[in-house]
Amino acid sequence: MGSWAGGSLRSMETEGLPKGLIVDLITPLTDSGDIDEEGLSSLLTKVLPRADGILLAGPQMGEGRGLDKALKAELLKAVCACTEGRVPLFFWVSSESAETTRETIELLEGVLESSRYGGAVFWLDSPLFYHSNRGLYQYYHELTANTVHPFVLYNDAGLIELVEKRLKRGNIRTHILSELGSIEKIRALIFRGPLARVNNYQRALNKRPDFKIYDGDEARFLEHPSLSGIISMGANVAPKLWSTITRASLGMLDETGKSPDYVHEIWEKAQLLKELMELYRPNPIWKIKKALSDSGIITSPARTSLIEPDDEANNQLTEFISRYAVE
């Protein structure tokens, strides 16, 4: 892949990573399978005031495994037009091989260049989705030398289990991550997995005080919040609630003007959030898309072929949001 170093798009290497709430955005689709641009715009209008970052085409909520390169390019172009650089964007670029992953990045960097997008963008990559731990440092050394934008790694053994030709390990080995941490363009890690492993990862990266580790598991974040923030599924339907809890957990709320019942109010909101999570976690993409469609935010709960709809006649998530005026 050719380098964009001499292109008109300015480097984002000086741009900082966000702290706080990263919305794992659903990908609004029409019934014909195109990007629902009107629904996307409405959804971004809903979440942007509360978001510290947006994750696009993610492997959890964004249905990234079911989107072809053309749809990904269409999605990025539409989001760039809506956000206008207001928050950092994370875009999942992993594909079935190193070659197709490079091709995806090249295509998307072309979209950013043609759009003259000036906001911060980070390529989110799950290396073990298509590459083994062996040779990973050299791979990223070459890859980052030929791309404009920095990278965030995505470690989720559950995702790797879905790969047909599964490689030996589902997690990045700790000493490999330590090596990758020496590459300046690798800026952060999104982690899903045991607490003990993420603690080992943090120790392995202690020479990079600027390196962020985001929590990819909402339930664990509520019990043991990371220092950097959360990748949230539920923020698609409850951005205000998730933002409040995230800021409270990370000490980011304004200390002035707190009511005497502040602690109890936060506790009550956290309990409401846990109830909300129980409703969407069994089939989050379908349930959240259905709730957004029911409320008129997106035009259809259309999804890729990877997602099975629920049989329930009424979406309990929609009813819960309405009953408790969840925002």
Side-chain angles (χ1 to χ4, degrees):
M1 178 169 61
S3 172
W4 292 99
S8 61
L9 186 64
R10 67 186 179 88
S11 171
M12 297 296 162
E13 290 188 69
T14 58
E15 299 286 350
L17 282 156
K19 176 181 178 179
L21 176 65
I22 314 299
V23 181
D24 191 353
L25 204 74
I26 59 116
T27 301
L29 298 171
T30 65
D31 290 330
S32 60
D34 297 318
I35 299 297
D36 171 15
E37 294 193 22
E38 182 178 345
L40 178 63
S41 177
S42 296
L43 180 58
L44 287 170
T45 298
K46 176 183 177 70
V47 304
L48 277 175
R50 306 292 178 177
D52 299 296
I54 300 290
L55 168 56
L56 302 171
Q60 291 291 325
M61 292 302 291
E63 300 176 82
R65 294 185 300 119
L67 304 177
D68 61 27
K69 286 189 289 187
L71 273 178
K72 290 178 180 179
E74 184 183 346
L75 173 64
L76 181 58
K77 183 178 180 180
V79 170
C80 288
C82 290
T83 61
E84 298 179 329
R86 280 177 283 173
V87 297
L89 303 178
F90 301 74
F91 200 108
W92 192 63
V93 295
S94 305
S95 189
E96 65 271 11
S97 69
E99 180 181 359
T100 52
T101 298
R102 287 174 183 266
E103 290 172 355
T104 298
I105 296 171
E106 184 171 6
L107 174 65
L108 297 177
E109 291 206 330
V111 170
L112 294 173
E113 184 177 41
S114 62
S115 301
R116 297 187 177 277
Y117 188 69
V121 177
F122 299 88
W123 301 134
L124 180 61
D125 192 21
S126 306
L128 300 189
F129 193 72
Y130 59 89
H131 197 293
S132 68
N133 275 282
R134 186 186 298 273
L136 209 50
Y137 173 83
Q138 185 60 33
Y139 170 70
Y140 274 114
H141 180 74
E142 296 173 359
L143 181 63
T144 57
N146 291 294
T147 53
V148 174
H149 298 269
F151 284 75
V152 172
L153 303 179
Y154 189 92
N155 188 92
D156 178 7
L159 172 65
I160 307 308
E161 290 178 357
L162 301 176
V163 179
E164 290 184 12
K165 296 180 179 179
R166 185 182 171 191
L167 300 172
K168 185 176 180 181
R169 295 182 183 273
N171 293 290
I172 302 172
R173 300 189 68 174
T174 303
H175 78 276
I176 299 295
L177 183 61
S178 179
E179 293 176 356
L180 294 175
S182 68
I183 300 176
E184 195 275 338
K185 265 191 176 176
I186 297 179
R187 299 296 185 78
L189 172 76
I190 293 173
F191 179 82
R192 290 175 61 89
L195 191 60
R197 181 174 291 277
V198 75
N199 289 337
N200 289 337
Y201 281 177
Q202 288 174 330
R203 286 191 290 269
L205 294 162
N206 60 10
K207 294 181 180 179
R208 282 284 301 273
D210 62 320
F211 198 99
K212 285 183 166 54
I213 298 181
Y214 298 102
D215 205 325
D217 185 328
E218 291 177 329
R220 189 177 63 199
F221 179 82
L222 294 180
E223 301 298 330
H224 304 283
S226 69
L227 296 177
S228 298
I230 176 66
I231 312 301
S232 172
M233 302 185 287
N236 284 277
V237 290
K240 182 178 180 181
L241 184 58
W242 260 110
S243 176
T244 299
I245 294 302
T246 300
R247 279 168 161 65
S249 299
L250 300 180
M252 296 170 64
L253 285 178
D254 186 357
E255 296 290 329
T256 60
K258 284 185 178 178
S259 73
D261 295 327
Y262 165 76
V263 174
H264 181 68
E265 289 170 0
I266 293 297
W267 182 86
E268 285 189 329
K269 289 179 178 179
Q271 299 313 302
L272 184 66
L273 197 53
K274 289 179 180 179
E275 291 184 51
L276 185 75
M277 286 170 51
E278 289 301 313
L279 293 175
Y280 63 70
R281 281 171 68 90
N283 190 355
I285 293 173
W286 169 254
K287 290 180 180 295
I288 286 176
K289 280 193 167 185
K290 185 67 168 60
L292 290 170
S293 176
D294 290 343
S295 63
I297 299 294
I298 61 176
T299 58
S300 167
R303 75 279 176 212
T304 66
S305 60
L306 298 175
I307 308 303
E308 290 293 331
D310 282 347
D311 293 330
E312 62 181 24
N314 298 314
N315 190 351
Q316 292 181 337
L317 179 60
T318 299
E319 296 173 356
F320 185 91
I321 291 170
S322 176
R323 183 186 316 132
Y324 293 102
V326 174
E327 297 181 87

